[in-house]
Amino acid sequence: MVCGGFACSKNALCALNVVYMLVGLLLIGVAAWGKGLGLVSSIHIIGGVIAVGVFLLLIAVAGLVGAVNHHQVLLFFYMIILGLVFIFQFGISCSCLAINRSKQTDVINASWWVMSNKTRDELERSFDCCGLFNLTTLYQQDYAFCTAILGVWLAMRFRNQKDPRANPSAFL
């Protein structure tokens, strides 16, 4: 019996779909774990990762059932869906590789102004920065929501205050 025959192809397809099922379960588990620990606060990101995990799990189950039963119609639709997923992933990969640094800056700049103040505040706390590209002098409206420079402001204010217990004629 040669490899590439019916049994070998069936076993390879079953093994591949088991791996897809594990990856789908892993995506769902990591998303739930990240939400449970508070690592990711955006419900949209968590929902997207869980949706991708469930989609991959359903496709893997369909492929596994089609491979085990040698179901022609189920294998056809499985093949079409995997082909569409490949084209989608290939397109996303090419667009990610094609975008240069200035385009990345433009995309980030455009999305920054659409975000809510809560999302901006979460990003600033997460990345320990103030405002877009950490330039608070150019973006004064972000300055009000920024807490990363609070320590500097308090230290400067405290440093310039006079100690009430000190000698009144002493400098500061």
Side-chain angles (χ1 to χ4, degrees):
M1 190 179 235
V2 253
C3 189
F6 181 80
C8 185
S9 297
K10 178 181 177 180
N11 291 337
L13 191 57
C14 288
L16 179 68
N17 284 302
V18 168
V19 170
Y20 283 163
M21 289 175 70
L22 292 175
V23 170
L25 290 172
L26 184 70
L27 283 171
I28 295 168
V30 165
W33 177 73
K35 180 64 178 167
L37 288 180
L39 298 174
V40 181
S41 61
S42 174
I43 194 70
H44 301 295
I45 294 173
I46 297 294
V49 172
I50 289 176
V52 168
V54 168
F55 176 74
L56 186 59
L57 192 63
L58 290 175
I59 295 302
V61 168
L64 190 61
V65 169
V68 168
N69 296 331
H70 198 243
H71 194 276
Q72 293 291 320
V73 176
L74 198 55
L75 286 173
F76 174 76
F77 283 112
Y78 173 75
M79 186 176 62
I80 296 297
I81 291 172
L82 279 186
L84 292 174
V85 168
F86 170 76
I87 291 170
F88 180 72
Q89 286 179 338
F90 185 72
I92 295 294
S93 299
C94 289
S95 64
C96 288
L97 290 173
I99 191 168
N100 58 14
R101 190 71 159 168
S102 67
K103 289 292 183 187
Q104 289 175 358
T105 304
D106 293 342
V107 169
I108 292 170
N109 195 9
S111 63
W112 181 260
W113 301 112
V114 180
M115 289 182 204
S116 67
N117 288 333
K118 181 183 176 209
T119 307
R120 289 182 192 175
D121 189 40
E122 287 176 5
L123 285 172
E124 288 172 349
R125 264 189 269 116
S126 180
F127 293 118
D128 194 26
C129 65
C130 293
L132 183 63
F133 303 120
N134 214 17
L135 301 173
T136 55
T137 56
L138 295 177
Y139 307 101
Q140 289 298 324
Q141 63 268 26
D142 295 331
Y143 188 73
F145 301 107
C146 182
T147 58
I149 63 172
L150 180 65
V152 174
W153 178 77
L154 284 175
M156 183 182 70
R157 181 176 166 84
F158 180 72
R159 183 182 174 274
N160 292 330
Q161 286 179 343
K162 192 171 189 173
D163 188 357
R165 299 171 296 168
N167 184 0
S169 63
F171 180 72
L172 291 179

